[in-house]
Amino acid sequence: MGIDSGILKKIELENIGPTDKTEISFAPRLNIITGDNGIGKTFLMNCSWKALTDTWTYNSAFPKYKTDEKESSIGYVIKANGNSLFAGKIIYDAKTSSWKRRGADKGIAGTVIYSLVDNCYAIWDSNAKTEKADILSSRQVWDGDGRFTEGLIADWLKWQNEPQKYPFGVFKDVLKAVSPPDMGELCPGEPVLDADGVLMPTREFPYATVPITYSSAGIRRIVTLAYLIVKTWDRHIALCRENGTSPDTGMVVMIDEIEAHIHPKWQRTILGALMKIQNSLSENACVQFIISTHSPLVLASAEAVFDDDEDKLFKVKLSDDRKNAVVREEDFIKYGQINAWLTSPIFDLTQARSIEAEKAVEEAKRLQLEDDPSPLEVQKAHENLLKYLSQTDPFWPRWIYFAQNNGSDV
């Protein structure tokens, strides 16, 4: 990995959104954010984006308590090239209903890519000399937006026809790295005319060469992300060349709900695949990942790549009085099987079963603790277990023994 330059080191949130006060110190390589729906994962990602770029993707955050006594702010520490630290604060101005930066007068020196869960994408480059980030829908990424990109389709065809390896060779390497496990490599094929007579890039499937526009939602999202990483890096180098400056090595890649649209088998490999991307960009590249997930498969896959010195796991949760969202760093423990992850403190499930099966098992356990259980209750519990519990569930052996010895016809 490159030197950890061009990364977000820390944010501190006060009286904003769902939180009174919380802070998070990020790792230089991989940051995984977990937590229930509606308590702040996306909010935390949005505030991280604001700290890095001084822009909002869509709607800005809002004070939790709009009073003169409570300041609403986003504090941050950014590490730039050469190990320089930029610390500052973005404060809500109630008079103008806007957020104003104090302290460091700029965001990250480098690039930021944010994959939102609604299939929109935000791109920031400190060398672009603009106060606005590029916010693109998935369709704009593929077809072009008239400013940031001519479109994935047009660039793919152009890159493929250029004699030099760069950037198409890098794009191919990134696609190979993030390929789904069961469908083979995301290998570009020769362009073809689609049903409308339009020249299209293709992907080689085991069974056919298919225009990339016919891909599934999961493949489209990952291909889009791969393209934007290469496109943003390539554009950054071009902008630095125009400005007469050296390229910044730092890139922050933020992905909200990384598992969206992708099959469980792919969820088991996508995280490790993304970690390899910086090797394709440049030997000096330093990519910091900030991702959120609901998937125990993604967490299980992290066991193979997680490094305590370079990575962190966080959980967003409600305080004991349920009035404040806080972020806690969690020890990364290798729980192994997916069921163990589901019942770990990260996901907090009592059992890795359906709710109905869980209730049936709990009722059966209650009866097992009684000195003289009612045969009718035992029989009813047995019928519920038959209805809701898998035939191979490990609870069956001890229950069958108990039920047979307590008057149940099993």
Side-chain angles (χ1 to χ4, degrees):
M1 150 171 208
I3 300 172
D4 58 336
S5 57
I7 63 172
L8 182 60
K9 293 285 289 182
K10 179 180 179 180
I11 61 171
E12 183 173 352
L13 309 177
E14 189 165 358
N15 188 34
I16 175 175
T19 186
D20 290 333
K21 186 173 183 177
T22 194
E23 65 180 64
I24 177 170
S25 295
F26 290 100
R29 190 178 70 152
L30 173 64
N31 298 275
I32 306 174
I33 302 170
T34 65
D36 290 343
N37 291 101
I39 59 173
K41 292 190 305 301
T42 297
F43 162 77
L44 183 60
M45 302 277 282
N46 289 342
C47 289
S48 298
W49 168 265
K50 176 66 174 177
L52 286 164
T53 70
D54 203 20
T55 68
W56 295 104
T57 53
Y58 294 113
N59 296 328
S60 65
F62 202 70
K64 183 176 183 181
Y65 303 109
K66 202 172 181 181
T67 67
D68 294 335
E69 290 78 22
K70 287 183 175 289
E71 181 180 81
S72 299
S73 64
I74 303 171
Y76 60 87
V77 177
I78 293 170
K79 191 170 188 178
N81 285 350
N83 292 329
S84 300
L85 294 179
F86 294 92
K89 186 176 284 190
I90 304 170
I91 299 174
Y92 184 76
D93 185 339
K95 294 181 180 179
T96 61
S97 298
S98 62
W99 293 87
K100 298 183 178 180
R101 187 183 290 264
R102 296 182 188 171
D105 60 356
K106 62 179 180 178
I108 190 172
T111 54
V112 189
I113 300 170
Y114 184 8
S115 174
L116 287 77
V117 75
D118 63 355
N119 280 340
C120 290
Y121 301 84
I123 300 96
W124 168 264
D125 191 321
S126 60
N127 283 271
K129 294 182 179 179
T130 175
E131 294 182 357
K132 293 183 178 180
D134 293 287
I135 313 294
L136 308 174
S137 67
S138 179
R139 181 164 185 171
Q140 286 177 311
V141 174
W142 281 61
D143 296 340
D145 72 326
R147 191 167 75 96
F148 172 77
T149 176
E150 296 177 31
L152 181 153
I153 294 171
D155 276 339
W156 186 321
L157 293 172
K158 181 176 68 175
W159 292 349
Q160 193 166 9
N161 287 327
E162 290 178 346
Q164 67 268 32
K165 180 180 179 182
Y166 184 86
F168 192 62
V170 177
F171 184 48
K172 287 174 64 178
D173 288 344
V174 172
L175 287 178
K176 180 179 179 180
V178 298
S179 297
D182 277 2
M183 294 299 293
E185 292 180 8
L186 288 171
C187 181
E190 290 301 314
V192 299
L193 295 175
D194 68 5
D196 297 320
V198 178
L199 191 64
M200 284 289 167
T202 63
R203 183 237 159 148
E204 295 283 359
F205 283 85
Y207 51 81
T209 299
V210 181
I212 196 65
T213 48
Y214 296 165
S215 298
S216 68
I219 289 178
R220 286 177 68 96
R221 189 186 190 205
I222 299 304
V223 167
T224 300
L225 185 59
Y227 162 73
L228 286 176
I229 289 172
V230 176
K231 175 70 175 181
T232 302
W233 185 264
D234 182 52
R235 188 183 74 150
H236 178 71
I237 292 174
L239 287 171
C240 290
R241 189 181 300 119
E242 291 176 8
N243 298 337
T245 58
S246 299
D248 297 297
T249 60
M251 173 182 282
V252 180
V253 177
M254 302 170 57
I255 309 173
D256 198 4
E257 295 189 22
I258 189 174
E259 69 276 9
H261 303 304
I262 63 176
H263 189 276
K265 290 181 180 178
W266 205 355
Q267 291 180 29
R268 295 175 65 192
T269 63
I270 189 62
L271 191 61
L274 286 170
M275 304 293 288
K276 299 176 182 177
I277 283 179
Q278 66 183 12
N279 297 328
S280 299
L281 297 176
S282 167
E283 63 179 11
N284 296 320
C286 170
V287 182
Q288 179 187 43
F289 290 94
I290 302 174
I291 71 165
S292 72
T293 184
H294 293 118
S295 171
L297 288 163
V298 171
L299 269 297
S301 74
E303 293 183 357
V305 299
F306 199 92
D307 184 329
D308 289 335
D309 294 329
E310 295 188 309
D311 309 323
K312 288 186 178 182
L313 171 64
F314 302 95
K315 183 175 180 179
V316 186
K317 59 186 296 183
L318 291 178
S319 57
D320 292 340
D321 61 6
R322 303 185 65 80
K323 294 181 179 180
N324 183 38
V326 294
V327 182
R328 296 283 184 263
E329 183 181 345
E330 301 284 341
D331 291 332
F332 188 88
I333 298 171
K334 293 183 178 180
Y335 290 102
Q337 294 187 353
I338 305 305
N339 283 359
W341 273 102
L342 286 170
T343 56
S344 74
I346 303 302
F347 293 100
D348 288 331
L349 291 184
T350 305
Q351 300 177 23
R353 299 182 173 98
S354 69
I355 293 176
E356 292 80 6
E358 180 177 327
K359 290 179 179 179
V361 169
E362 290 303 315
E363 173 61 15
K365 287 181 177 179
R366 183 189 67 80
L367 290 171
Q368 288 176 320
L369 294 174
E370 290 191 1
D371 293 332
D372 187 22
S374 163
L376 288 178
E377 287 188 309
V378 172
Q379 184 62 36
K380 183 178 179 181
H382 183 71
E383 291 171 358
N384 281 335
L385 290 171
L386 287 172
K387 185 176 181 180
Y388 298 119
L389 208 59
S390 163
Q391 294 179 357
T392 59
D393 194 285
F395 183 71
W396 277 119
R398 65 171 176 162
W399 171 256
I400 294 296
Y401 177 82
F402 169 82
Q404 287 176 335
N405 285 279
N406 285 277
S408 177
D409 182 16
V410 297

